[in-house]
Amino acid sequence: MSLVFILSIFLLSQFASAAPPVIEKQQNIVVPVINRANQQDAISRNGLSAIFKMRLLRWNDGSAVTVFVLNDDDPLHKQFCKQILNVFPHQMRRNWDKLVFSGSGQAPILVESKEEMIEKIEKTPGSVGYLNLSDLTNGIKRLDIK
């Protein structure tokens, strides 16, 4: 009887440690985020890509878009570019540099940390950026991709 009990505990502990907790997986999901006052709740993937390529400068209601990004080497920036925009960070940088050097547009506003990204998006109407799902605050909402 005690051997069966010990074996059961051993098997349960192995199963519990092998499966990563669902909540932990969700915490690392990167999502586009916007200022809570923005009336828009969703955008197409192409629309989001156009915003971050600085080609779409207005939301559906006509208000100006302000784009915040992290440094090209930041792991969250890399994850956002690859998983959400389907481009490499250096491709985004090349696009932004081309806009700036040709005088036809501006690069997004660079922030130094996730904390600064949160602060800027909370305080800037019409702003957009990206964060881990676990970093959402009351002043920020997730922008769904439809």
Side-chain angles (χ1 to χ4, degrees):
M1 175 74 174
S2 65
L3 181 60
V4 171
F5 178 74
I6 292 172
L7 185 57
S8 298
I9 296 296
F10 175 76
L11 290 174
L12 285 174
S13 68
Q14 293 298 312
F15 178 73
S17 64
V22 173
I23 292 173
E24 183 178 313
K25 286 176 122 180
Q26 291 177 345
Q27 301 301 316
N28 293 328
I29 294 174
V30 63
V31 293
V33 294
I34 56 177
N35 179 283
R36 177 137 325 259
N38 192 329
Q39 298 299 313
Q40 195 161 335
D41 292 325
I43 192 168
S44 69
R45 189 171 300 276
N46 288 340
L48 185 65
S49 179
I51 284 175
F52 277 90
K53 288 180 179 175
M54 307 303 284
R55 288 186 288 152
L56 183 60
L57 306 175
R58 299 256 170 218
W59 293 106
N60 288 346
D61 66 359
S63 62
V65 175
T66 304
V67 181
F68 293 106
V69 296
L70 291 165
N71 191 314
D72 294 354
D73 296 329
D74 190 283
L76 185 61
H77 179 72
K78 291 179 180 178
Q79 184 181 3
F80 178 73
C81 288
K82 291 178 185 175
Q83 292 180 0
I84 305 297
L85 301 178
N86 295 322
V87 297
F88 288 103
H90 72 271
Q91 292 173 301
M92 294 300 289
R93 172 62 49 201
R94 187 174 30 206
N95 181 63
W96 299 330
D97 289 346
K98 188 185 296 182
L99 287 172
V100 171
F101 294 136
S102 69
S104 61
Q106 297 180 349
I109 299 169
L110 184 66
V111 294
E112 296 297 322
S113 65
K114 281 194 314 188
E115 291 75 21
E116 187 179 358
M117 173 92 70
I118 292 167
E119 180 185 338
K120 297 280 187 181
I121 292 175
E122 284 179 341
K123 292 181 178 177
T124 310
S127 60
V128 62
Y130 46 82
L131 293 168
N132 288 116
L133 198 53
S134 60
D135 294 325
L136 296 182
T137 65
N138 289 336
I140 294 174
K141 68 179 180 181
R142 178 182 182 168
L143 182 62
D144 291 327
I145 299 172
K146 54 181 174 178

